[in-house]
């Protein structure tokens, strides 16, 4: 009898863990857009630091990110437990913010400022011997941690929306797991990105000749680092439209009906699954761009009314 109860307990635990794994996978897919932007923004924030200080700065920002998650995860779970009616509005608010941020980033890249503000500040600081680089570094860390707080809040809200109907224990496990995996994954990859050029340079310097495989690999890494940053920035922007627009389209009935109708119309075509995915992604992207543009106009309008 005791053995039977033990096996039942193990089966229940395995079932819960299986559900948690499935929901974590779904939540990870839905937060992919934020993750891409998180990678690009944080790598950009810590770039430009002296080579021997890059990893300590990444670690300092990562610790700040863990603190952010320690605040956001309990807050999200409390909302889910005592004010679950707020989950859907918060999710849509997060989706709208993602779309707004995507439009703002896209316009910023198209307007074409010669240099971003943080690059200008960095060059000015490096060229001015009176500037305290320790204080400047701390300022960059604080800015990166603030950016992380916003993006972490989006990740947690999106994850919470994925598991909103699940039991509290599963919500706790999924949200906590996503928070940990995203933090470790993001800052581990950020550390790799910011050291990629140094790795390439090291291989080139240690190569016996310019024709050796080591030298060629080093050259490839050195050339790949800025291109990887650019790719992450572009991919992160468009992923924002897809993820944010997807959140809005699935929670706004008129748009959701259009998506469903489009998928139904393509159901009989050869390779219907691919066409349905493309159609839904296109509609999500258009929804995201439209919503982001409307929010941007609203923000600009409010700023003008307030005289800013």
């Amino acid at each position: 009898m005791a053995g039977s109860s033990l096996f039942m307990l193990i089966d229940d635990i395995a079932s819960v863990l299986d559900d948690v794994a499935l929901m974590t996978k779904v939540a990870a897919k839905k937060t992919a857009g934020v993750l891409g932007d998180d990678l690009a923004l944080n790598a950009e924030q810590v770039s430009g630091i002296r080579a021997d200080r890059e990893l300590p700065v990444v670690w300092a920002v990562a610790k700040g990110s863990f603190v952010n998650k320690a605040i956001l995860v309990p807050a999200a779970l409390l909302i889910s437990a005592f004010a679950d009616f707020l989950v859907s509005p918060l999710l849509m608010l997060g989706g709208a913010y993602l779309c707004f941020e995507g439009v703002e980033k896209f316009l910023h890249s198209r307007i074409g400022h010669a240099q971003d503000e943080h690059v200008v500040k960095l060059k000015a600081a490096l060229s001015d011997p009176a500037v305290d680089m320790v204080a400047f570094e701390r300022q960059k860390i604080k800015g990166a941690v603030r950016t992380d707080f916003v993006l972490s809040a989006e990740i947690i809200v999106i994850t919470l929306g994925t598991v909103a109907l699940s039991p509290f224990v599963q919500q706790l496990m999924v949200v906590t797991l996503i928070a940990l995996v995203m933090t470790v994954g993001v800052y581990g990859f950020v550390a790799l990105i910011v050291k990629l050029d140094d790795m390439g340079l090291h291989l080139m310097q240690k190569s016996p000749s310019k024709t050796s495989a080591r030298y060629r690999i080093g050259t490839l890494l050195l050339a790949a680092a800025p291109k990887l940053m650019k790719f992450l920035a572009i991919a992160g922007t468009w992923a924002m439209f897809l993820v944010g627009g997807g959140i809005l389209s699935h929670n706004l009935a008129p748009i959701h009906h259009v998506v469903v109708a489009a998928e139904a119309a393509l159901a009989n075509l050869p390779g219907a699954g691919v066409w349905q995915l493309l159609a839904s992604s296109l509609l999500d992207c258009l929804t995201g761009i439209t919503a982001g543009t409307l929010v941007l106009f609203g923000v600009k309008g409010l700023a003008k009314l307030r005289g800013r």
Side-chain angles (χ1 to χ4, degrees):
M1 193 75 175
S4 176
S5 299
L6 177 61
F7 284 127
M8 289 178 64
L9 177 60
I10 293 174
D11 184 63
D12 290 341
I13 293 173
S15 178
V16 170
L17 292 177
D18 186 57
D19 291 341
V20 168
L22 180 61
M23 287 185 291
T24 302
K25 184 178 179 180
V26 173
K29 287 182 179 180
K30 290 189 175 183
T31 55
V34 189
L35 180 62
D37 190 56
D38 206 356
L39 283 171
L41 284 177
N42 282 290
E44 202 172 19
Q45 286 274 17
V46 300
S47 64
I49 300 294
R50 287 201 328 262
D52 62 325
R53 293 296 303 159
E54 285 176 339
L55 291 182
V57 168
V58 172
W59 173 237
V61 179
K63 288 191 291 185
S65 179
F66 278 115
V67 173
N68 289 340
K69 303 295 194 305
I71 296 170
L72 290 167
V73 169
L77 292 172
L78 285 172
I79 290 172
S80 179
F82 299 105
D84 58 345
F85 60 91
L86 291 176
V87 173
S88 183
L90 286 173
L91 190 61
M92 293 183 67
L93 186 62
Y97 181 80
L98 273 178
C99 299
F100 160 72
E101 197 175 46
V103 170
E104 197 173 41
K105 284 183 64 180
F106 179 78
L107 292 177
H108 178 77
S109 66
R110 288 299 173 185
I111 290 172
H113 296 286
Q115 292 173 316
D116 288 335
E117 184 181 353
H118 76 279
V119 176
V120 175
K121 288 182 179 179
L122 177 61
K123 288 189 174 183
L126 290 173
S127 61
D128 187 355
V131 173
D132 184 355
M133 290 307 296
V134 174
F136 186 77
E137 187 177 288
R138 288 175 181 169
Q139 184 180 1
K140 285 182 71 69
I141 292 170
K142 288 180 180 178
V145 172
R146 284 195 299 269
T147 300
D148 176 271
F149 187 88
V150 176
L151 295 173
S152 295
E154 294 172 8
I155 289 172
I156 297 302
V157 169
I158 292 171
T159 304
L160 188 62
T162 305
V163 297
L165 300 178
S166 302
F168 179 79
V169 173
Q170 292 185 5
Q171 291 183 15
L172 173 63
M173 295 175 70
V174 172
V175 174
T176 303
L177 188 59
I178 284 289
L180 290 175
V181 169
M182 289 296 182
T183 304
V184 173
V186 164
Y187 290 99
F189 199 56
V190 166
L192 177 63
I193 292 172
V194 298
K195 299 304 291 184
L196 201 60
D197 52 352
D198 293 331
M199 291 162 55
L201 186 60
H202 177 77
L203 288 175
M204 292 171 67
Q205 291 173 343
K206 296 295 182 180
S207 300
S209 68
K210 292 186 177 181
T211 58
S212 65
R214 183 184 297 180
Y215 188 89
R216 291 175 181 175
I217 293 173
T219 304
L220 181 64
L221 291 177
L222 197 61
K227 292 179 181 179
L228 179 59
M229 283 289 298
K230 186 175 182 180
F231 169 77
L232 284 173
I234 295 172
T237 300
W238 286 103
M240 282 178 162
F241 294 136
L242 286 171
V243 176
I247 292 171
L248 295 174
S249 65
H250 289 123
N251 286 276
L252 295 173
I255 302 176
H256 183 63
H257 291 329
V258 173
V259 174
V260 172
E263 291 178 346
L266 299 170
N268 295 324
L269 292 179
V274 175
W275 291 111
Q276 288 175 329
L277 177 62
L278 289 173
S280 62
S281 297
L282 178 61
L283 289 170
D284 289 344
C285 192
L286 291 174
T287 301
I289 293 172
T290 303
T293 303
L294 291 174
V295 174
L296 181 64
F297 283 145
V299 170
K300 296 294 184 182
L302 287 174
K304 287 183 178 180
L305 288 175
R306 296 178 65 181
R308 294 183 180 181

